[in-house]
Amino acid sequence: MKHSTTALTGAGAARRARGLARSLLFGAIAAALLLQACGGPSEPLADVPAGTKTDTADTSAAIGPTGPAGPAGPTGSTGPAGPSGADGAVGPAGPAGPMGPPSGGFEWRHVTTPTVQAAPNTGYVLDTVTRTTVTLPAAPAVGDVLRLTGAGAGGWELAQNAGQRVFAGYGRASWARRGPVMPWTGVASSADGMRLAASASGGIHLSTDRGATWSVSSAPATYYSQIVSSADGTHLMALQGQRIWLSPDAGTTWTENGTAGVRAFVAITISADGSRLAAAEYGAYVQTSDDFGATWTLRTSGGGHTWSGLASSADGLRLVGVDANGGGAVYASADGGVSWAPLPAPPRDWGGVAMSADGSQLVASVRNGGGGLYVSTDSGLTWQERTHVTGPWWSVSSSADGRTLAATIESFSSHFGPSEPGLVYLSTDAGATWIAQPTTGYWVGAAISADGMTLAAVSNDGFLAVPRAASTAGTSGAVAGGLYDALAIQYLGGGLFAFIEHEGSPTVR
């Protein structure tokens, strides 16, 4: 039994040893797997003693080396922005930028030289002992202003560039006497005001420089009661008693027009080109010519009237005549004098009449009976009395557009002695208002240039004046001033500057 026990004991010991070996093996495997699952380093299992048998499969083939890393996963979404950092320090100042345009301020310059080229929106104090010439800016902008003040004894002159002129207005014009002292009866002007012709008791005088100088024409030295001119001043027509005289060359030569006959003509008119003429006979009819006076036609359709004035449109087709009878009428023709019809004007003792180039604007004066001036803006269909100044209104004249008008009063009656000298009245708003000019005389005639800038007026007591509202256009025109004379002008466009302020007596030429 003891032997048997010993044998059992040896077999059990063997089984016990094998079980222990298996336990150790399984523990090692479990430990390795646990370590790998926890991210630990993969290490080979503990060696198993050679020859040791186990009840499990060989694990050396199942657990190989660690494989390569897989591809990177997609980028996750951007997290929220972190808080702003603190402001950095201010950097150094940069370099100065370019100069900007000038401000709207006005700059004054002290001038001691004889010439200066003016700049827009600049004032000049002209301080020289000889005359200083200031030339206008060549390319001003509308609204630019220029100021001049004479601080030197030499005075100053404002020179113009080509196409420029300065408008001063008749309120600042000079009424100085021009030409010889003659008993003047009438005056005519070319459209630009450069050529003037004046009739007198003693002959016809001519000017080609807006009245600055005058010469005696070759017309007979006798009494002429009226003179008219074509637009270019080439064709002249003068009334001498019962005869008509014509000049085709600006007054160089004259010819008595015998085809019109010898009649008691009292009023004449001429078209802009000088081809159409009309002459009214006192107490009778109107004669017309459409060939520069070569032939004449007596127009009897309108009847005979006590004519005192005639006016023509630029084309000579529209004629207007006024009757000096105490209850006289105004008559019009739209076909060059072929037919006539009365206009709805009030009955007056009419004296003179003038019209715009197109015949739409009319002005008529009442010579006797305490009347005044009447205007029409619709070719004579309606009339308005525009001044209540009474007196023997003698003549009227109109610019081409009918806006600038002139009218003369020969004299004022006086209850206490001789009659008083008359006045010249001007309107620059088509007759709505009238302003008496600062001169007196026995004014019997006036003529205005087509643009209304030049006026010529004559009196039968020897006064001839050519006040001008604007300088001559271009380089021959200028404005002049003396010591302490000051001027401010503004550019209006189209080459035209205009007075806006002045002190003293700056004058245009």
Side-chain angles (χ1 to χ4, degrees), residues 143-179:
D144 282 350
V145 173
L146 176 67
R147 295 179 180 271
L148 305 177
T149 299
W156 52 267
E157 180 174 281
L158 183 62
Q160 302 169 174
N161 299 293
Q164 294 179 337
R165 70 187 316 185
V166 179
F167 177 78
Y170 283 109
R172 304 179 182 92
S174 170
W175 281 84
R177 186 189 300 271
R178 302 289 183 90

Side-chain angles (χ1 to χ4, degrees), residues 5-43:
T5 302
T6 305
L8 289 173
T9 302
R15 286 195 299 273
R16 194 176 296 114
R18 288 195 297 274
L20 180 60
R22 284 196 298 272
S23 298
L24 292 173
L25 178 60
F26 290 154
I29 292 173
L33 292 175
L34 180 60
L35 183 60
Q36 186 175 5
C38 293
S42 297
E43 295 180 359

Side-chain angles (χ1 to χ4, degrees), residues 120-213:
N121 300 313
T122 305
Y124 297 89
V125 177
L126 307 171
D127 189 5
T128 57
V129 295
T130 59
R131 173 158 291 193
T132 300
T133 299
V134 181
T135 303
L136 286 169
V142 173
D144 282 350
V145 173
L146 176 67
R147 295 179 180 271
L148 305 177
T149 299
W156 52 267
E157 180 174 281
L158 183 62
Q160 302 169 174
N161 299 293
Q164 294 179 337
R165 70 187 316 185
V166 179
F167 177 78
Y170 283 109
R172 304 179 182 92
S174 170
W175 281 84
R177 186 189 300 271
R178 302 289 183 90
V181 177
M182 298 284 288
W184 303 106
T185 60
V187 65
S189 172
S190 60
D192 61 4
M194 289 297 294
R195 292 185 175 272
L196 301 174
S199 59
S201 177
I204 294 175
H205 292 250
L206 306 171
S207 175
T208 58
D209 53 11
R210 281 197 175 94
T213 60

Side-chain angles (χ1 to χ4, degrees), residues 284-304:
Y285 306 102
V286 173
Q287 289 195 58
T288 63
S289 171
D290 58 7
D291 55 8
F292 297 95
T295 61
W296 291 79
T297 302
L298 185 64
R299 305 297 187 181
T300 62
S301 63

Side-chain angles (χ1 to χ4, degrees), residues 59-92:
T59 60
S60 61
I63 303 174
T66 301
T75 302
S77 59
T78 302
S84 300
D87 292 339
V90 177

